[in-house]
Amino acid sequence: MSTPVHPETYYGPSFGALLEQDPQIAELLVTELDRQRAGLQLIASENQTSPAVLAALGSTLSNKYAEGYPDARYYGGCVEVDKVEKLALARATELFGADHANVQPHSGASANQAVYGAFASPGDTILAMSLDHGGHLTHGFKVSFSGKWFNAVHYGVDADTENIDYDQVEALAREHRPKIILAGGSAIPRLIDFARFRAIADEVGAIFWVDAAHFIGLVAGGVIPSPVPHADVVSFTTHKVLRGPRGGAIVCREEHAKKIDRAVFPMMQGGPLMHAVAAKAVNFAECMTPAYRSYAQQVLDNAAALAAGLDARGIRPITGGTDTHLSLHDLRGVGVSGRDAEARCDAAGIVLNKNAIPFDPAKPNIASGIRVGSPSVTTQGMGVPQMEVVADLIHRAVTQGDGDPEHAVAREVRAQVTELMTAHPAYPEPSAG
Ligand code: DSN
């Protein structure tokens, strides 16, 4: 256990008490931070939130019950948390240019549950991207509540362009007349044509919902187009590119505000997590700074450079590249499965995930692809030159490693990972400048 010099910076002012009372858990907090500091974190949905966000998360706001909304709670003593939630709401609507926000969803899945609750009833038809082409579990996958309770019809990508097949979306919408049309997912490297979706939704009288969990942080930074002007409702998580606390949120048009609020509470959730709401407020303010906008642009530049670097080494990006923070790569050119690639990278200090690629012949738990994302390494201050090195390290680990951390290639790659992580540390000690 390598206790940081200033543990309270990362674990909150009460870390000393935790260390004394429960050293087992305290040690695991530290070893997890060590893990995040030791390896390249390339999971596209992860990031390293700020000490200020962590402080809000570790605060006594966790003690407060606040069922309801500001000025309309079911508990006394909400005067301070009301101020917190009002700030979070004002910042969210300003940041995203939205009519209305709800910052109470505990997670992305909870936010999505609420959107279903607001606009659909069990048995209704929804149209969404299929999971195996880049969608999400909560977009009607058969083992999720969304697939069990709704009649989910799925669109996918075009086999040639590997981009969303908008003609298929249109044809399925006309055929099935869904209540909701949903855009977004967890492995979509390209921009989504929100105007086209809006036109299709209008034609069939559907609600147009964007699940922007993955890319909302790029929208917040103003570096990709926003879905907000086009969609009836936009759900998202606050912990991906956005770099806030783990959690969810929803923004919507004014006409849907009451429905959304009632669907979050009392339909789907009870008391909000006010410490998380405070942390979301801190994050939204961070997102309005010039430094955040530079970071968001660098996330894009780094993702493009990493995708190109892997492409140059025979690890082909689906769609040929990326417009976002993530790229999805087909490993068949190098003859390695996604499962093996993930294990080989892990052994070499590179954390990424196997991922199905569109029309994948392999089973999902083996997969023919990997997904890589640039948010964490960008937060650490890495830039395009480092992405060239990272692409080389991934290629070496994937093609020459065998999953054994003691393999010579794993050791070599890990040594270079350590060099990168030393030059661009995650959570640098304040004393180290
Ligand atoms: N699990 C998230 C991801 O990795 O994309 C989506 O919920």
Side-chain angles (χ1 to χ4, degrees), residues 7 44 49 61 78 86 89 97 134 140 147 176 228 244 285 328 362 386 393 408 411:
T49 199
L61 269 68
C78 288
K86 284 179 187 175
L89 292 169
H176 296 280
V228 172
L328 185 61
Q386 286 76 35
L393 296 179
R411 294 166 77 106

Side-chain angles (χ1 to χ4, degrees), residues 38-192:
L40 280 170
Q41 309 299 329
L42 298 175
I43 292 182
S45 48
E46 293 183 355
N47 210 330
Q48 293 148 11
T49 199
S50 69
V53 167
L54 293 177
L57 279 176
S59 69
T60 54
L61 269 68
S62 172
N63 298 339
K64 189 71 197 95
Y65 249 118
E67 283 177 11
Y69 290 100
D71 299 327
R73 304 284 189 186
Y74 289 83
Y75 289 85
C78 288
V79 60
E80 301 306 329
V81 293
D82 272 9
K83 292 177 199 164
V84 168
E85 188 163 347
K86 284 179 187 175
L87 273 173
L89 292 169
R91 291 175 185 178
T93 49
E94 182 185 344
L95 180 62
F96 298 112
D99 294 344
H100 181 76
N102 189 305
V103 291
Q104 293 192 5
H106 303 329
S107 67
S110 303
N112 288 355
Q113 230 174 11
V115 177
Y116 285 110
F119 297 112
S121 300
D124 280 347
T125 298
I126 61 134
L127 176 60
M129 191 153 182
S130 68
L131 181 63
D132 54 353
H133 282 209
H136 190 255
L137 276 174
T138 57
H139 298 184
F141 190 59
K142 55 183 184 295
V143 297
S144 147
F145 74 91
S146 56
K148 288 182 184 292
W149 295 346
F150 303 102
N151 171 37
V153 176
H154 286 119
Y155 58 86
V157 301
D158 176 89
D160 294 326
T161 64
E162 298 178 316
N163 259 314
I164 294 171
D165 184 343
Y166 293 94
D167 292 338
Q168 186 194 25
V169 177
E170 189 172 66
L172 289 172
R174 285 176 180 160
E175 183 186 345
H176 296 280
R177 315 292 296 184
K179 201 78 170 272
I180 294 173
I181 297 180
L182 172 48
S186 55
I188 304 174
R190 295 297 186 178
L191 298 180
I192 297 171

Side-chain angles (χ1 to χ4, degrees), residues 43-45 136 185-187 213-214 237 240 353 371:
I43 292 182
S45 48
H136 190 255
S186 55
H214 258 273
T237 50
K240 297 189 172 84
N353 62 282
R371 186 185 67 164

Side-chain angles (χ1 to χ4, degrees), residues 294-305:
S294 306
Y295 147 81
Q297 183 58 52
Q298 194 64 53
V299 167
L300 283 187
D301 296 346
N302 284 351

Side-chain angles (χ1 to χ4, degrees), residues 12 16 96 109 138-139 141 173 225 252-253 262 268 291 296 316 344 364 382 385 396 408 421:
F96 298 112
T138 57
H139 298 184
F141 190 59
C252 67
R253 294 183 170 179
R262 286 187 193 131
M268 298 298 177
R316 185 183 77 84
R344 290 175 188 189
M382 293 190 208
R396 277 162 57 199
M421 297 299 283

